[in-house]
Amino acid sequence: ETGVTQTPRHLVMGMTNKKSLKCEQHLGHNAMYWYKQSAKKPLELMFVYSLEERVENNSVPSRFSPECPNSSHLFLHLHTLQPEDSALYLCASSQDGTDYEQYFGPGTRLTVT
Amino acid sequence: DQQVKQNSPSLSVQEGRISILNCDYTNSMFDYFLWYKKYPAEGPTFLISISSIKDKNEDGRFTVFLNKSAKHLSLHIVPSQPGDSAVYFCAAISTGGSNYKLTFGKGTLLTVNP
């Protein structure tokens, strides 16, 4: 595997379900990101981890809970989501905070019913 | 309030001609700019960037121009090829602020017709 991978690629969940999105980067980077892309909206930064510490939390509702167990893996735990949370969730990584170029995974298309 | 704006949702050009994608920003603290390309079912991929100390950066068929006084940048693709058909995102960052926070535009769908 190379680059940034995300699983699952598609997810349908009910509002009472609990699910997790997984991201893995194979680039040796130190920073990892979660973005949300809703229809007709720009990419919105949700969370940033650098060396497994959270360095950005962009006023994201608590029903989204990130976890970064090591610099290669990033999770987004989802619980009691709302239909408006349906979106494309993108993971990205970068070397560190001085490298502005971010490498993105293919995304997870989430539908909340 | 959108700080990075791509006012053209779509652009269609003929193969071999020039594609010009535009981006405007409102935050004068932005000093580094990037363009990303996104194909369907894939994540965005980095294309080219420019620092505010420059007004032009070129990489093969791709050139980015920055006009700081107008808070405007543009991406030129010449000659355009059908494989360039994708959504193009402009992004900006204030390197004196959070080094992790890219602000993106909504994107422009480029279609290059054979």
Short mmCIF file of all heavy atoms in Angstrom, two decimals, chain A residues 6 11 13-15 17-22 33-38 41 44-49 54 56-68 74-90 108-113:
data_model
loop_
_atom_site.label_atom_id
_atom_site.label_comp_id
_atom_site.label_asym_id
_atom_site.label_seq_id
_atom_site.Cartn_x
_atom_site.Cartn_y
_atom_site.Cartn_z
N GLN A 6 -7.98 4.87 3.08
CA GLN A 6 -9.11 5.07 3.98
C GLN A 6 -10.08 3.91 3.84
O GLN A 6 -10.34 3.45 2.73
CB GLN A 6 -9.87 6.37 3.65
CG GLN A 6 -9.11 7.62 4.01
CD GLN A 6 -9.94 8.88 3.81
OE1 GLN A 6 -9.61 9.73 2.99
NE2 GLN A 6 -11.01 9.02 4.58
N LEU A 11 -20.14 4.18 3.55
CA LEU A 11 -20.74 3.77 4.81
C LEU A 11 -22.13 4.37 4.90
O LEU A 11 -22.31 5.57 4.71
CB LEU A 11 -19.89 4.24 6.00
CG LEU A 11 -20.40 3.94 7.40
CD1 LEU A 11 -20.50 2.44 7.62
CD2 LEU A 11 -19.49 4.57 8.45
N MET A 13 -25.19 4.54 7.70
CA MET A 13 -25.47 4.25 9.11
C MET A 13 -26.71 4.98 9.58
O MET A 13 -27.03 6.07 9.07
CB MET A 13 -24.27 4.59 9.99
CG MET A 13 -23.84 6.03 9.97
SD MET A 13 -22.33 6.32 10.92
CE MET A 13 -22.92 6.15 12.61
N GLY A 14 -27.39 4.37 10.52
CA GLY A 14 -28.54 5.01 11.14
C GLY A 14 -28.09 5.97 12.20
O GLY A 14 -26.93 5.98 12.64
N MET A 15 -29.01 6.82 12.64
CA MET A 15 -28.66 7.88 13.59
C MET A 15 -28.27 7.32 14.96
O MET A 15 -27.59 8.01 15.73
CB MET A 15 -29.82 8.87 13.71
CG MET A 15 -29.99 9.72 12.47
SD MET A 15 -31.14 11.08 12.70
CE MET A 15 -32.69 10.19 12.64
N ASN A 17 -26.54 4.44 15.36
CA ASN A 17 -25.38 3.55 15.22
C ASN A 17 -24.11 4.19 15.74
O ASN A 17 -24.01 5.42 15.87
CB ASN A 17 -25.15 3.18 13.75
CG ASN A 17 -26.23 2.28 13.20
OD1 ASN A 17 -26.40 2.17 12.00
ND2 ASN A 17 -26.98 1.62 14.07
N LYS A 18 -23.11 3.32 15.99
CA LYS A 18 -21.74 3.77 16.24
C LYS A 18 -20.85 3.10 15.21
O LYS A 18 -20.92 1.88 15.04
CB LYS A 18 -21.27 3.33 17.63
CG LYS A 18 -21.89 4.07 18.78
CD LYS A 18 -21.24 3.63 20.09
CE LYS A 18 -21.86 4.34 21.27
NZ LYS A 18 -21.22 3.95 22.54
N LYS A 19 -20.05 3.90 14.55
CA LYS A 19 -19.14 3.36 13.54
C LYS A 19 -17.82 4.13 13.63
O LYS A 19 -17.74 5.19 14.26
CB LYS A 19 -19.71 3.53 12.13
CG LYS A 19 -20.98 2.75 11.85
CD LYS A 19 -20.70 1.28 11.66
CE LYS A 19 -21.98 0.54 11.29
NZ LYS A 19 -21.74 -0.93 11.20
N SER A 20 -16.80 3.60 12.95
CA SER A 20 -15.51 4.27 12.92
C SER A 20 -14.96 4.31 11.50
O SER A 20 -15.10 3.34 10.75
CB SER A 20 -14.51 3.57 13.83
OG SER A 20 -14.91 3.65 15.17
N LEU A 21 -14.34 5.43 11.16
CA LEU A 21 -13.60 5.56 9.92
C LEU A 21 -12.12 5.40 10.23
O LEU A 21 -11.63 5.89 11.25
CB LEU A 21 -13.84 6.93 9.27
CG LEU A 21 -15.29 7.38 9.11
CD1 LEU A 21 -15.34 8.72 8.35
CD2 LEU A 21 -16.12 6.33 8.43
N LYS A 22 -11.42 4.73 9.30
CA LYS A 22 -10.00 4.48 9.53
C LYS A 22 -9.17 5.12 8.41
O LYS A 22 -9.56 5.11 7.25
CB LYS A 22 -9.73 2.98 9.56
CG LYS A 22 -8.27 2.60 9.77
CD LYS A 22 -8.07 1.11 9.72
CE LYS A 22 -6.59 0.75 9.79
NZ LYS A 22 -6.37 -0.71 9.66
N TYR A 33 -4.81 14.64 9.28
CA TYR A 33 -5.95 15.56 9.27
C TYR A 33 -7.25 14.82 8.93
O TYR A 33 -7.23 13.87 8.13
CB TYR A 33 -5.76 16.62 8.17
CG TYR A 33 -4.45 17.34 8.16
CD1 TYR A 33 -3.28 16.71 7.73
CD2 TYR A 33 -4.37 18.68 8.56
CE1 TYR A 33 -2.06 17.38 7.71
CE2 TYR A 33 -3.15 19.35 8.53
CZ TYR A 33 -2.01 18.70 8.11
OH TYR A 33 -0.81 19.38 8.08
N TRP A 34 -8.34 15.30 9.48
CA TRP A 34 -9.68 14.93 9.01
C TRP A 34 -10.35 16.16 8.43
O TRP A 34 -10.36 17.23 9.07
CB TRP A 34 -10.56 14.39 10.14
CG TRP A 34 -10.34 12.96 10.51
CD1 TRP A 34 -9.91 12.47 11.69
CD2 TRP A 34 -10.57 11.81 9.67
NE1 TRP A 34 -9.84 11.10 11.65
CE2 TRP A 34 -10.23 10.66 10.43
CE3 TRP A 34 -11.01 11.63 8.35
CZ2 TRP A 34 -10.32 9.37 9.93
CZ3 TRP A 34 -11.10 10.33 7.85
CH2 TRP A 34 -10.76 9.22 8.64
N TYR A 35 -10.91 15.99 7.22
CA TYR A 35 -11.70 17.03 6.56
C TYR A 35 -13.09 16.49 6.27
O TYR A 35 -13.28 15.31 6.05
CB TYR A 35 -11.09 17.42 5.22
CG TYR A 35 -9.86 18.27 5.27
CD1 TYR A 35 -8.59 17.70 5.34
CD2 TYR A 35 -9.95 19.66 5.20
CE1 TYR A 35 -7.46 18.49 5.35
CE2 TYR A 35 -8.81 20.46 5.21
CZ TYR A 35 -7.57 19.86 5.28
OH TYR A 35 -6.44 20.64 5.29
N LYS A 36 -14.04 17.41 6.20
CA LYS A 36 -15.39 17.08 5.76
C LYS A 36 -15.69 17.87 4.49
O LYS A 36 -15.42 19.07 4.42
CB LYS A 36 -16.41 17.48 6.85
CG LYS A 36 -17.86 17.28 6.47
CD LYS A 36 -18.78 17.78 7.56
CE LYS A 36 -20.24 17.64 7.17
NZ LYS A 36 -21.15 18.18 8.22
N GLN A 37 -16.24 17.18 3.48
CA GLN A 37 -16.66 17.88 2.27
C GLN A 37 -18.13 17.60 2.04
O GLN A 37 -18.52 16.49 1.65
CB GLN A 37 -15.85 17.45 1.05
CG GLN A 37 -16.18 18.31 -0.16
CD GLN A 37 -15.39 17.95 -1.40
OE1 GLN A 37 -14.91 16.82 -1.55
NE2 GLN A 37 -15.23 18.89 -2.30
N SER A 38 -18.94 18.61 2.27
CA SER A 38 -20.38 18.52 1.99
C SER A 38 -20.63 19.04 0.59
O SER A 38 -19.82 19.78 0.04
CB SER A 38 -21.17 19.36 3.00
OG SER A 38 -20.87 18.98 4.32
N LYS A 41 -19.95 22.78 -0.85
CA LYS A 41 -19.23 23.52 0.20
C LYS A 41 -17.75 23.24 0.07
O LYS A 41 -17.35 22.19 -0.44
CB LYS A 41 -19.70 23.08 1.58
CG LYS A 41 -21.04 23.62 2.01
CD LYS A 41 -21.26 23.27 3.48
CE LYS A 41 -22.45 23.95 4.06
NZ LYS A 41 -22.61 23.66 5.49
N GLU A 44 -13.82 21.36 4.74
CA GLU A 44 -13.75 21.96 6.08
C GLU A 44 -12.82 21.12 6.94
O GLU A 44 -13.03 19.93 7.11
CB GLU A 44 -15.14 21.95 6.73
CG GLU A 44 -16.21 22.69 6.00
CD GLU A 44 -17.58 22.41 6.64
OE1 GLU A 44 -17.73 22.71 7.85
OE2 GLU A 44 -18.46 21.88 5.95
N LEU A 45 -11.82 21.78 7.50
CA LEU A 45 -10.91 21.09 8.41
C LEU A 45 -11.65 20.76 9.70
O LEU A 45 -12.31 21.62 10.30
CB LEU A 45 -9.70 21.97 8.70
CG LEU A 45 -8.64 21.39 9.62
CD1 LEU A 45 -7.97 20.17 8.99
CD2 LEU A 45 -7.59 22.45 9.96
N MET A 46 -11.51 19.50 10.15
CA MET A 46 -12.15 19.09 11.39
C MET A 46 -11.12 18.97 12.51
O MET A 46 -11.26 19.59 13.55
CB MET A 46 -12.85 17.75 11.20
CG MET A 46 -13.95 17.75 10.15
SD MET A 46 -14.63 16.10 9.88
CE MET A 46 -15.60 15.88 11.38
N PHE A 47 -10.13 18.14 12.29
CA PHE A 47 -9.13 17.86 13.33
C PHE A 47 -7.75 17.75 12.69
O PHE A 47 -7.61 17.34 11.54
CB PHE A 47 -9.42 16.53 14.04
CG PHE A 47 -10.76 16.45 14.71
CD1 PHE A 47 -11.78 15.72 14.13
CD2 PHE A 47 -10.99 17.07 15.92
CE1 PHE A 47 -13.02 15.62 14.74
CE2 PHE A 47 -12.21 16.99 16.54
CZ PHE A 47 -13.24 16.26 15.95
N VAL A 48 -6.72 18.10 13.50
CA VAL A 48 -5.34 17.90 13.09
C VAL A 48 -4.59 17.25 14.24
O VAL A 48 -4.74 17.68 15.40
CB VAL A 48 -4.64 19.22 12.72
CG1 VAL A 48 -3.21 18.96 12.24
CG2 VAL A 48 -5.41 20.00 11.68
N TYR A 49 -3.80 16.26 13.90
CA TYR A 49 -2.90 15.65 14.88
C TYR A 49 -1.46 15.81 14.39
O TYR A 49 -1.18 15.62 13.20
CB TYR A 49 -3.20 14.15 15.05
CG TYR A 49 -4.34 13.87 15.98
CD1 TYR A 49 -5.65 13.96 15.55
CD2 TYR A 49 -4.10 13.51 17.31
CE1 TYR A 49 -6.71 13.71 16.42
CE2 TYR A 49 -5.15 13.25 18.18
CZ TYR A 49 -6.45 13.35 17.72
OH TYR A 49 -7.50 13.10 18.58
N ARG A 54 -3.36 16.17 19.40
CA ARG A 54 -4.32 16.99 18.66
C ARG A 54 -3.89 18.45 18.74
O ARG A 54 -3.69 18.99 19.84
CB ARG A 54 -5.72 16.83 19.25
CG ARG A 54 -6.80 17.37 18.34
CD ARG A 54 -8.16 17.37 18.97
NE ARG A 54 -8.55 16.10 19.53
CZ ARG A 54 -9.73 15.91 20.10
NH1 ARG A 54 -10.61 16.89 20.17
NH2 ARG A 54 -10.04 14.74 20.62
N GLU A 56 -5.39 20.86 16.40
CA GLU A 56 -6.49 21.69 15.91
C GLU A 56 -7.79 20.92 16.14
O GLU A 56 -7.87 19.74 15.90
CB GLU A 56 -6.38 21.97 14.40
CG GLU A 56 -5.30 22.93 13.99
CD GLU A 56 -5.70 24.39 14.13
OE1 GLU A 56 -6.88 24.69 14.38
OE2 GLU A 56 -4.80 25.23 14.01
N ASN A 57 -8.80 21.67 16.59
CA ASN A 57 -10.13 21.09 16.75
C ASN A 57 -11.08 22.19 16.35
O ASN A 57 -11.29 23.14 17.10
CB ASN A 57 -10.36 20.66 18.19
CG ASN A 57 -11.75 20.08 18.40
OD1 ASN A 57 -12.62 20.18 17.54
ND2 ASN A 57 -11.95 19.47 19.54
N ASN A 58 -11.62 22.09 15.16
CA ASN A 58 -12.36 23.22 14.58
C ASN A 58 -13.83 23.24 14.96
O ASN A 58 -14.69 23.18 14.11
CB ASN A 58 -12.22 23.18 13.05
CG ASN A 58 -11.20 24.17 12.56
OD1 ASN A 58 -10.42 24.70 13.32
ND2 ASN A 58 -11.19 24.41 11.26
N SER A 59 -14.10 23.34 16.25
CA SER A 59 -15.49 23.46 16.72
C SER A 59 -16.37 22.35 16.18
O SER A 59 -17.47 22.60 15.69
CB SER A 59 -16.08 24.82 16.34
OG SER A 59 -15.29 25.86 16.82
N VAL A 60 -15.85 21.14 16.23
CA VAL A 60 -16.58 20.00 15.69
C VAL A 60 -17.47 19.42 16.81
O VAL A 60 -17.03 19.30 17.95
CB VAL A 60 -15.61 18.92 15.19
CG1 VAL A 60 -16.35 17.71 14.65
CG2 VAL A 60 -14.69 19.51 14.12
N PRO A 61 -18.73 19.06 16.48
CA PRO A 61 -19.61 18.48 17.50
C PRO A 61 -19.01 17.22 18.13
O PRO A 61 -18.27 16.47 17.46
CB PRO A 61 -20.89 18.15 16.72
CG PRO A 61 -20.85 19.00 15.51
CD PRO A 61 -19.40 19.20 15.18
N SER A 62 -19.37 16.99 19.37
CA SER A 62 -18.77 15.87 20.11
C SER A 62 -19.21 14.51 19.59
O SER A 62 -18.63 13.49 19.98
CB SER A 62 -19.11 15.98 21.59
OG SER A 62 -20.52 15.97 21.76
N ARG A 63 -20.19 14.46 18.70
CA ARG A 63 -20.57 13.18 18.12
C ARG A 63 -19.50 12.65 17.16
O ARG A 63 -19.55 11.51 16.72
CB ARG A 63 -21.93 13.28 17.42
CG ARG A 63 -22.02 14.32 16.34
CD ARG A 63 -23.47 14.40 15.84
NE ARG A 63 -23.63 15.33 14.72
CZ ARG A 63 -23.93 16.60 14.87
NH1 ARG A 63 -24.09 17.10 16.09
NH2 ARG A 63 -24.06 17.39 13.81
N PHE A 64 -18.51 13.50 16.85
CA PHE A 64 -17.32 13.09 16.10
C PHE A 64 -16.16 13.04 17.09
O PHE A 64 -15.83 14.06 17.71
CB PHE A 64 -16.99 14.08 14.99
CG PHE A 64 -18.03 14.16 13.92
CD1 PHE A 64 -19.06 15.08 14.00
CD2 PHE A 64 -17.98 13.33 12.81
CE1 PHE A 64 -20.03 15.17 13.02
CE2 PHE A 64 -18.93 13.41 11.81
CZ PHE A 64 -19.96 14.33 11.91
N SER A 65 -15.52 11.88 17.19
CA SER A 65 -14.44 11.72 18.16
C SER A 65 -13.21 11.15 17.47
O SER A 65 -13.23 10.01 17.02
CB SER A 65 -14.90 10.79 19.28
OG SER A 65 -13.85 10.51 20.16
N PRO A 66 -12.13 11.94 17.34
CA PRO A 66 -10.94 11.43 16.66
C PRO A 66 -10.04 10.66 17.61
O PRO A 66 -10.09 10.83 18.83
CB PRO A 66 -10.25 12.72 16.19
CG PRO A 66 -10.59 13.71 17.26
CD PRO A 66 -11.96 13.35 17.76
N GLU A 67 -9.21 9.82 17.00
CA GLU A 67 -8.22 9.07 17.77
C GLU A 67 -6.99 8.86 16.90
O GLU A 67 -7.12 8.49 15.73
CB GLU A 67 -8.78 7.70 18.19
CG GLU A 67 -7.79 6.85 18.99
CD GLU A 67 -8.26 5.42 19.17
OE1 GLU A 67 -9.36 5.07 18.70
OE2 GLU A 67 -7.50 4.64 19.78
N CYS A 68 -5.82 9.12 17.46
CA CYS A 68 -4.57 8.94 16.71
C CYS A 68 -3.63 8.11 17.56
O CYS A 68 -2.84 8.65 18.34
CB CYS A 68 -3.97 10.31 16.38
SG CYS A 68 -2.54 10.23 15.29
N LEU A 74 -5.09 7.06 11.93
CA LEU A 74 -6.03 8.06 12.42
C LEU A 74 -7.43 7.48 12.29
O LEU A 74 -7.76 6.90 11.26
CB LEU A 74 -5.91 9.35 11.61
CG LEU A 74 -6.73 10.56 12.05
CD1 LEU A 74 -6.27 11.05 13.42
CD2 LEU A 74 -6.61 11.68 11.03
N PHE A 75 -8.22 7.64 13.35
CA PHE A 75 -9.59 7.14 13.33
C PHE A 75 -10.55 8.31 13.57
O PHE A 75 -10.19 9.32 14.21
CB PHE A 75 -9.80 6.09 14.43
CG PHE A 75 -9.03 4.83 14.23
CD1 PHE A 75 -7.73 4.70 14.74
CD2 PHE A 75 -9.57 3.77 13.53
CE1 PHE A 75 -7.00 3.54 14.55
CE2 PHE A 75 -8.84 2.59 13.34
CZ PHE A 75 -7.56 2.48 13.85
N LEU A 76 -11.75 8.15 13.07
CA LEU A 76 -12.84 9.08 13.39
C LEU A 76 -14.02 8.24 13.86
O LEU A 76 -14.61 7.51 13.07
CB LEU A 76 -13.21 9.94 12.19
CG LEU A 76 -14.19 11.08 12.45
CD1 LEU A 76 -13.58 12.09 13.43
CD2 LEU A 76 -14.59 11.78 11.16
N HIS A 77 -14.30 8.31 15.16
CA HIS A 77 -15.39 7.54 15.75
C HIS A 77 -16.68 8.35 15.66
O HIS A 77 -16.69 9.55 16.00
CB HIS A 77 -15.08 7.18 17.20
CG HIS A 77 -13.78 6.44 17.37
ND1 HIS A 77 -13.56 5.20 16.79
CD2 HIS A 77 -12.64 6.76 18.02
CE1 HIS A 77 -12.35 4.78 17.10
NE2 HIS A 77 -11.76 5.72 17.83
N LEU A 78 -17.73 7.71 15.18
CA LEU A 78 -18.99 8.38 14.91
C LEU A 78 -20.09 7.79 15.79
O LEU A 78 -20.21 6.56 15.89
CB LEU A 78 -19.38 8.18 13.45
CG LEU A 78 -18.27 8.34 12.40
CD1 LEU A 78 -18.75 7.89 11.04
CD2 LEU A 78 -17.80 9.79 12.38
N HIS A 79 -20.89 8.64 16.42
CA HIS A 79 -22.02 8.12 17.18
C HIS A 79 -23.14 9.15 17.22
O HIS A 79 -22.89 10.35 17.31
CB HIS A 79 -21.60 7.70 18.60
CG HIS A 79 -21.07 8.83 19.43
ND1 HIS A 79 -21.83 9.49 20.37
CD2 HIS A 79 -19.86 9.41 19.46
CE1 HIS A 79 -21.10 10.44 20.94
NE2 HIS A 79 -19.90 10.40 20.41
N THR A 80 -24.35 8.66 17.15
CA THR A 80 -25.58 9.47 17.12
C THR A 80 -25.47 10.62 16.15
O THR A 80 -25.68 11.79 16.48
CB THR A 80 -25.96 9.99 18.53
OG1 THR A 80 -24.89 10.77 19.07
CG2 THR A 80 -26.28 8.85 19.45
N LEU A 81 -25.13 10.29 14.91
CA LEU A 81 -25.00 11.32 13.89
C LEU A 81 -26.37 11.78 13.40
O LEU A 81 -27.39 11.13 13.62
CB LEU A 81 -24.18 10.79 12.71
CG LEU A 81 -22.72 10.47 12.97
CD1 LEU A 81 -21.98 10.26 11.65
CD2 LEU A 81 -22.03 11.56 13.78
N GLN A 82 -26.36 12.92 12.70
CA GLN A 82 -27.55 13.51 12.12
C GLN A 82 -27.49 13.38 10.60
O GLN A 82 -26.39 13.29 10.03
CB GLN A 82 -27.64 14.99 12.50
CG GLN A 82 -27.58 15.23 14.01
CD GLN A 82 -28.76 14.60 14.72
OE1 GLN A 82 -29.90 14.76 14.30
NE2 GLN A 82 -28.48 13.87 15.80
N PRO A 83 -28.64 13.41 9.92
CA PRO A 83 -28.60 13.33 8.45
C PRO A 83 -27.71 14.40 7.81
O PRO A 83 -27.08 14.12 6.78
CB PRO A 83 -30.07 13.51 8.06
CG PRO A 83 -30.83 12.97 9.24
CD PRO A 83 -30.01 13.36 10.45
N GLU A 84 -27.62 15.58 8.42
CA GLU A 84 -26.77 16.63 7.82
C GLU A 84 -25.28 16.32 7.94
O GLU A 84 -24.44 17.05 7.38
CB GLU A 84 -27.07 17.99 8.46
CG GLU A 84 -26.85 18.06 9.96
CD GLU A 84 -28.12 17.85 10.76
OE1 GLU A 84 -29.02 17.13 10.27
OE2 GLU A 84 -28.19 18.41 11.87
N ASP A 85 -24.93 15.26 8.65
CA ASP A 85 -23.54 14.83 8.71
C ASP A 85 -23.14 14.00 7.51
O ASP A 85 -21.96 13.64 7.34
CB ASP A 85 -23.28 14.02 10.00
CG ASP A 85 -23.49 14.85 11.25
OD1 ASP A 85 -23.12 16.05 11.25
OD2 ASP A 85 -24.05 14.31 12.24
N SER A 86 -24.10 13.67 6.67
CA SER A 86 -23.79 12.94 5.44
C SER A 86 -22.87 13.79 4.58
O SER A 86 -23.18 14.96 4.28
CB SER A 86 -25.09 12.63 4.66
OG SER A 86 -25.95 11.82 5.44
N ALA A 87 -21.73 13.21 4.19
CA ALA A 87 -20.72 13.97 3.45
C ALA A 87 -19.60 13.02 3.05
O ALA A 87 -19.62 11.83 3.38
CB ALA A 87 -20.15 15.09 4.34
N LEU A 88 -18.62 13.57 2.38
CA LEU A 88 -17.38 12.86 2.08
C LEU A 88 -16.36 13.24 3.16
O LEU A 88 -16.12 14.43 3.37
CB LEU A 88 -16.85 13.24 0.70
CG LEU A 88 -15.55 12.57 0.24
CD1 LEU A 88 -15.78 11.08 0.01
CD2 LEU A 88 -15.02 13.24 -1.03
N TYR A 89 -15.81 12.26 3.84
CA TYR A 89 -14.82 12.52 4.88
C TYR A 89 -13.45 12.12 4.35
O TYR A 89 -13.21 10.97 3.98
CB TYR A 89 -15.19 11.76 6.17
CG TYR A 89 -16.39 12.38 6.83
CD1 TYR A 89 -17.67 12.02 6.43
CD2 TYR A 89 -16.24 13.36 7.80
CE1 TYR A 89 -18.79 12.63 6.99
CE2 TYR A 89 -17.34 13.98 8.36
CZ TYR A 89 -18.62 13.61 7.96
OH TYR A 89 -19.72 14.22 8.50
N LEU A 90 -12.58 13.12 4.32
CA LEU A 90 -11.25 12.94 3.75
C LEU A 90 -10.19 12.99 4.83
O LEU A 90 -10.23 13.85 5.71
CB LEU A 90 -10.96 14.04 2.72
CG LEU A 90 -11.74 13.95 1.41
CD1 LEU A 90 -11.79 15.30 0.73
CD2 LEU A 90 -11.12 12.92 0.49
N THR A 108 -14.13 8.65 2.56
CA THR A 108 -15.24 7.76 2.90
C THR A 108 -16.52 8.52 2.65
O THR A 108 -16.73 9.61 3.20
CB THR A 108 -15.19 7.32 4.37
OG1 THR A 108 -14.04 6.54 4.61
CG2 THR A 108 -16.45 6.53 4.74
N ARG A 109 -17.37 7.98 1.79
CA ARG A 109 -18.67 8.60 1.53
C ARG A 109 -19.65 8.10 2.58
O ARG A 109 -19.99 6.93 2.61
CB ARG A 109 -19.16 8.22 0.13
CG ARG A 109 -20.56 8.69 -0.22
CD ARG A 109 -20.69 10.17 -0.31
NE ARG A 109 -19.89 10.74 -1.39
CZ ARG A 109 -19.74 12.03 -1.62
NH1 ARG A 109 -20.33 12.91 -0.85
NH2 ARG A 109 -19.00 12.45 -2.63
N LEU A 110 -20.06 8.99 3.48
CA LEU A 110 -20.93 8.63 4.60
C LEU A 110 -22.35 9.11 4.35
O LEU A 110 -22.56 10.27 4.00
CB LEU A 110 -20.41 9.27 5.88
CG LEU A 110 -21.30 9.12 7.13
CD1 LEU A 110 -21.36 7.66 7.57
CD2 LEU A 110 -20.79 9.99 8.27
N THR A 111 -23.29 8.20 4.53
CA THR A 111 -24.71 8.55 4.45
C THR A 111 -25.36 8.20 5.77
O THR A 111 -25.27 7.05 6.22
CB THR A 111 -25.41 7.80 3.31
OG1 THR A 111 -24.73 8.08 2.08
CG2 THR A 111 -26.87 8.24 3.18
N VAL A 112 -25.99 9.17 6.39
CA VAL A 112 -26.70 8.96 7.67
C VAL A 112 -28.19 8.95 7.39
O VAL A 112 -28.74 9.92 6.85
CB VAL A 112 -26.35 10.06 8.68
CG1 VAL A 112 -27.06 9.79 10.02
CG2 VAL A 112 -24.85 10.14 8.89
N THR A 113 -28.83 7.84 7.74
CA THR A 113 -30.27 7.70 7.45
C THR A 113 -31.12 7.85 8.70
O THR A 113 -30.61 7.71 9.83
CB THR A 113 -30.57 6.35 6.80
OG1 THR A 113 -30.18 5.32 7.71
CG2 THR A 113 -29.79 6.19 5.50
#
